[in-house]
């Protein structure tokens, strides 16, 4: 097996167990490179194919839904296309039996019998819905994220699926953008580690294995850089920003063996991603050696007409296919226009052959030719979906995804046997919104609401009073009085507020990112009762909550936690689970600060009391809650930050150690974070960059020495000439509990 060149954490002997597990994963994980046998089979099949059949492999369609039969049906037109081998893939057909219907026609009634590949958006679970990706990113636990993807893949393959359009690896630094919910937040290193973990989880160890699904790193590229956070808007960035910020998670996914990518809707500095030869061919294939295929996003090829870079559908199809977008999603432009373009000399058959080769390579790797009906066993669905084991894991991962933002006076954890607890808010007795966006086959009936979780979490003597208080996004305050009344009768109040799940995800940008509706007024009304208030946020993006951050003593960020939401929140609120989550994205004080992220640059006039420096008149430059922030019910102290040398050669590692002590009264898990700063470069450099992290468990009073190994490649940058090098000079290294709470020391990189 090829040992993956994976950057992983080095631990002292005390972590040998974790390391041996990590090593097992590395040795077993397969970096997907085509093998000679597959290449021979691809070549021999390609030689038999007509031009039309080749183009058919590049054509992905969706199928008609018959509401009476409650299933997708093969229309006469698509039946004809299937028999002619003119459809290579479907999206959104779900079910062992219905996929078998379509597969049978393609395999048994067409000339060459090339199997279909079925794709679907399995983003954070198939039926066992895990927290949204921004939530699981808050766990900073790549191994757990890999396990969640493994469960999602296993469940998806019981329903005839071979391919998921995930992980979404778009770096997002503008919380107005609704799709920040779907990714791993603002950081390149955290995002890259999570991208690798998700790819490993979805694709498993042996691609022809029954539970493997091909992963799809999306949206290539820089979709998260949408101007003003408005979805689908232009992205205007330098090549340096593209390479330093937006490309690394895709490179990480490719290095982890991802089998497909999806092209983005947006333009990148004037060139739409879906017609962008630079990213699709120069970078992806020529620099990175990617061997899989790229599918366009939904109708993104047609949208080249709206972008104004194609005069007609033929030109749009030629531009996309020539750039390196191999498969076209749903508008059928390749099927309708590419044969004509070949005849008119607008595109060479060799270009088409290369794309077909990539698609066939993936289908061979998945074992679809040996067993086209591999995922069509209906008996699996009942046995392998939403098992107690997967629910238990979902609860554990949800607990790790919760971020304790504030706990003034340690009012948390609440006592399980308190006399009366008031639970108030529009998301308290809600089983739909905790599923979040892109919830695949998730069902509200599977979800444990906060109210349900509390009822089973507290002692039998505790009385729970409930009021919805208000809706999520209306101006109706008629239930405030009821909410105020039950709050007054309670020992403590838990307020469950936030956004509904349609306020984040695709086409869900918000210009203001405060609590919608009258929820803020409800919070103030309940706060005025003088009762201890705990705020539980359920949302798909950072929110601006300055008043709450100042006045409410305890605040939990829970995102959308999936099927076990209520149990996981109860576990944390009542102290069964000690929160360990850390923010993967910055919370601004107000939307005027956006974009605001931790790895900002110093500028020539760093903010100070001086007037003529880079700051606002009405708000500090600092965030409400920083990247990497997250409290615990215990406390961790950092000391003894040491380096094995003060000068690092450009071809040797640097060992960084720090002592972390649990000085609190209960056991806890800490996410230790390591950042660097390159003090002087041939170009400006960020004030901090995350380069390592590790989750460590510490009993009360226990100390551990955490050891990280920094490799020269961790210090690499694009210099003034866009060469990727390690520049000599002074660096700072920071280790701590967040991006703003660190201890530091210095080292130098020698010439
Ligand atoms: C959507 C999304 C993409 C998704 C695709 C198929 O428009 O942008 O993330 O995978 O269509 O559903």
């Amino acid at each position: 097996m090829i040992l993956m060149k994976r950057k992983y954490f080095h631990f002292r002997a005390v972590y040998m167990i974790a390391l041996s597990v990590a090593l097992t994963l590395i040795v077993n994980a397969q970096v997907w490179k085509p093998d000679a046998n597959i290449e021979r089979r691809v070549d021999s099949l390609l030689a038999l194919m007509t031009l039309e059949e080749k183009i058919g492999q590049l054509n992905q369609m969706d199928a008609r839904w018959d509401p009476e039969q409650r299933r997708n049906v093969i229309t006469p037109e698509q039946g004809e296309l299937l028999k002619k081998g003119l459809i290579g893939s479907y999206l959104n057909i779900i079910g062992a039996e219905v996929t078998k219907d379509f597969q049978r026609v393609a395999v048994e009634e067409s000339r060459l019998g090339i199997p279909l590949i079925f794709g679907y958006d399995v983003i954070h679970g198939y039926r066992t819905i895990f927290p949204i990706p921004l939530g699981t990113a808050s766990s900073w636990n790549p191994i757990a994220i890999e396990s969640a993807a493994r469960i999602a893949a296993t469940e998806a393959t019981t329903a005839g699926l071979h391919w998921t359009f995930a992980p979404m690896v778009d770096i997002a630094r503008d919380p107005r953008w609704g799709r920040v919910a779907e990714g791993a937040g603002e950081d390149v290193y955290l995002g890259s580690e999570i991208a690798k973990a998700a790819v490993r989880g979805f694709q498993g160890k042996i691609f022809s294995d029954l539970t493997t699904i091909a992963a799809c790193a999306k949206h290539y590229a820089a979709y998260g850089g949408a101007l003003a956070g408005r979805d689908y808007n232009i992205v205007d960035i330098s090549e340096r920003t593209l390479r330093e910020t937006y490309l690394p998670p895709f490179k990480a996914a490719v290095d982890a063996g991802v089998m497909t990518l999806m092209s983005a809707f947006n333009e990148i500095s004037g060139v739409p991603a879906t017609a962008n030869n630079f990213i699709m061919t120069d970078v992806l294939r020529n620099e990175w050696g990617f061997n899989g295929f790229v599918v366009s996003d939904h109708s993104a090829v047609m949208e080249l007409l709206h972008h104004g870079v194609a005069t007609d559908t033929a030109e749009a199809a030629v531009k996309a296919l020539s750039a390196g977008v191999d498969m076209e999603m749903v508008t059928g432009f390749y099927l309708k226009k590419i044969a004509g373009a070949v005849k008119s000399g607008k595109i060479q058959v060799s270009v088409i052959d290369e794309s077909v080769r990539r698609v066939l390579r993936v289908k061979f790797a998945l074992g679809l030719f040996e067993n086209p009906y591999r995922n069509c066993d209906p008996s699996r669905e009942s046995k392998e979906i939403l098992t107690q084991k997967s629910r238990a894991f979902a609860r554990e991962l949800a607990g790790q995804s919760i971020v304790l933002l504030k706990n003034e006076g340690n009012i948390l954890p609440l006592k399980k046997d308190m006399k009366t607890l008031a639970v108030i808010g529009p998301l308290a007795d809600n089983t739909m919104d905790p599923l979040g966006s892109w919830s695949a086959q998730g069902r509200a009936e599977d979800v444990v609401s906060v109210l349900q979780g509390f009822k089973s979490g507290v002692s039998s003597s505790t009385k729970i009073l409930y009021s919805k208080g208000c809706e999520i996004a209306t101006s109706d305050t008629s239930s405030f009085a009821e909410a105020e009344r039950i709050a007054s009768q309670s020992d403590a109040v838990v307020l469950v507020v936030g956004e509904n799940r349609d306020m984040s995800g695709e086409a869900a940008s918000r210009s203001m990112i405060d609590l919608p509706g009258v929820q803020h007024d409800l919070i103030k009304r309940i706060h005025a009762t003088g009762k201890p208030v705990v705020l539980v946020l359920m949302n798909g993006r950072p929110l601006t909550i300055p008043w709450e951050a100042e006045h409410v003593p305890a605040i939990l960020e829970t995102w959308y936690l999936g099927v076990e939401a209520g149990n996981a929140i109860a576990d944390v609120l009542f102290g069964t689970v000690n929160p360990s989550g850390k923010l993967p994205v910055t919370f601004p004080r107000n939307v005027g600060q956006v974009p605001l992220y931790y790895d900002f640059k110093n500028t020539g006039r760093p903010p100070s009391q001086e007037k003529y420096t880079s700051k606002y008149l009405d708000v500090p430059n600092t965030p409400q809650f920083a990247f990497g922030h997250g409290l615990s019910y215990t406390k961790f102290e950092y000391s003894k930050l040491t380096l094995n040398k003060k000068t690092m050669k450009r071809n040797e590692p640097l060992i960084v150690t720090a002592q972390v002590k649990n000085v609190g009264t209960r056991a806890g898990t800490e996410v230790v974070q390591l950042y660097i700063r390159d003090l002087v470069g041939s170009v400006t450099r960020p004030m901090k960059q995350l380069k390592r992290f590790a989750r460590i468990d510490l009993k009360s009073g226990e100390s551990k020495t955490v050891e990280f190994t920094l490799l020269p490649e961790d210090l690499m940058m694009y210099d003034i000439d866009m060469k990727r090098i390690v520049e000599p000079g002074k660096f700072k290294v920071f280790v701590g509990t967040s991006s703003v709470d660190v201890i530091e020391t210095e080292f130098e990189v020698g010439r």
Side-chain angles (χ1 to χ4, degrees), residues 60 91-92 120-121 123 165-166 168 179 182 216 218-219 223 231-232 262-263 265 296-299 329 438 506:
Q60 180 184 65
L91 79 157
N92 298 337
Y120 182 52
D121 292 285
I123 310 296
F165 305 131
M168 185 273 217
R179 302 196 80 164
E182 296 173 46
C216 180
K218 69 183 187 183
H219 306 77
Y223 184 24
D231 207 357
Y232 317 118
M262 181 183 289
S263 75
F265 291 122
S296 76
D297 201 340
H298 198 288
S299 65
M329 188 185 281
W438 294 106
E506 185 173 359

